[in-house]
Amino acid sequence: MKYSMKSNVLFDEKNNKIAYISSSMSYLKSKIRSADGEIISAEFRMNSSYDARDHEYVVFDRASNILAAAKPQYSDSDDPMIHGWPLNRAPLVDCLNITVNGNVFELTRIGYPKYEIKDGSGKLVLGLGYSPLMKTWSVNGTNCFSPLLICGMICFCKYLEFENEAVFL
């Protein structure tokens, strides 16, 4: 299965529009719509803590049922519980533990702009790549996720990048 996304529109291999993401001005909430009118939402939920492990990313349907939930994780070499908080920057967040229908997946940032989603056994189920020059996403993998959830996973990748943005005062 191969998909591509350009201008927040997800296309299948035959270049048919199958879903699109419409973001709010806050960037932390998005509506995802399929070609047949189904709507789900993606949201970045930040608790009062600055610790990324207290944040949550969710995808839910119109009835507010959670379809996918993710918790950010620090990279092994940057975990503040092990190495302490760095003085000159925020610790790097490079992984998400995602739960979809009771199944656990791991989304890993393998270098901007590439991401991998693996199932509980470590098998690659989805590869995502972003081309900043072309402003397109490419998606390759199994049929493990619906097109709407693939859009949700792209939102999760964007939220992961948001965790790592530098803050200047």
Side-chain angles (χ1 to χ4, degrees), residues 101-147:
N101 297 327
N103 298 313
V104 178
F105 298 90
E106 183 177 86
L107 184 149
T108 306
R109 180 180 184 244
I110 55 172
Y112 182 77
K114 295 184 188 223
Y115 307 86
E116 290 181 341
I117 299 178
K118 294 181 179 178
D119 63 13
S121 66
K123 178 184 169 196
L124 181 67
V125 294
L126 205 62
L128 301 122
Y130 181 70
S131 170
L133 185 61
M134 300 297 290
K135 297 188 190 274
T136 59
W137 285 87
S138 61
V139 180
N140 298 302
T142 64
N143 290 329
C144 192
F145 299 116
S146 70

Side-chain angles (χ1 to χ4, degrees), residues 74-126:
Y74 293 108
S75 71
D76 292 337
S77 62
D78 250 11
D79 190 337
M81 297 303 283
I82 298 169
H83 305 287
W85 284 90
L87 296 176
N88 61 342
R89 61 178 172 75
L92 179 66
V93 178
D94 69 348
C95 179
L96 296 175
N97 291 329
I98 304 171
T99 305
V100 180
N101 297 327
N103 298 313
V104 178
F105 298 90
E106 183 177 86
L107 184 149
T108 306
R109 180 180 184 244
I110 55 172
Y112 182 77
K114 295 184 188 223
Y115 307 86
E116 290 181 341
I117 299 178
K118 294 181 179 178
D119 63 13
S121 66
K123 178 184 169 196
L124 181 67
V125 294
L126 205 62

Side-chain angles (χ1 to χ4, degrees), residues 1-163:
M1 161 209 74
K2 288 187 175 193
Y3 295 104
S4 64
M5 178 176 273
K6 192 173 206 174
S7 300
N8 285 343
V9 178
L10 188 67
F11 297 93
D12 63 11
E13 292 179 85
K14 297 177 184 172
N15 214 26
N16 297 317
K17 295 178 186 177
I18 54 174
Y20 69 94
I21 302 171
S22 58
S23 298
S24 66
M25 291 297 286
S26 72
Y27 177 69
L28 302 178
K29 292 183 181 182
S30 300
K31 294 279 186 211
I32 303 167
R33 300 173 194 268
S34 69
D36 60 2
E38 187 180 352
I39 300 173
I40 63 173
S41 299
E43 186 175 300
F44 178 106
R45 294 180 177 170
M46 184 184 300
N47 297 327
S48 59
S49 171
Y50 290 107
D51 190 337
R53 290 172 294 213
D54 292 336
H55 301 166
E56 182 179 37
Y57 313 159
V58 292
V59 172
F60 51 92
D61 63 14
R62 282 186 170 172
S64 297
N65 298 316
I66 294 178
L67 305 174
K71 297 291 276 180
Q73 302 295 317
Y74 293 108
S75 71
D76 292 337
S77 62
D78 250 11
D79 190 337
M81 297 303 283
I82 298 169
H83 305 287
W85 284 90
L87 296 176
N88 61 342
R89 61 178 172 75
L92 179 66
V93 178
D94 69 348
C95 179
L96 296 175
N97 291 329
I98 304 171
T99 305
V100 180
N101 297 327
N103 298 313
V104 178
F105 298 90
E106 183 177 86
L107 184 149
T108 306
R109 180 180 184 244
I110 55 172
Y112 182 77
K114 295 184 188 223
Y115 307 86
E116 290 181 341
I117 299 178
K118 294 181 179 178
D119 63 13
S121 66
K123 178 184 169 196
L124 181 67
V125 294
L126 205 62
L128 301 122
Y130 181 70
S131 170
L133 185 61
M134 300 297 290
K135 297 188 190 274
T136 59
W137 285 87
S138 61
V139 180
N140 298 302
T142 64
N143 290 329
C144 192
F145 299 116
S146 70
L148 289 175
L149 275 180
I150 289 172
C151 289
M153 296 303 131
I154 289 172
C155 289
F156 285 178
C157 291
K158 291 177 181 181
Y159 298 157
L160 190 63
E161 289 305 318
F162 177 74
E163 294 276 8

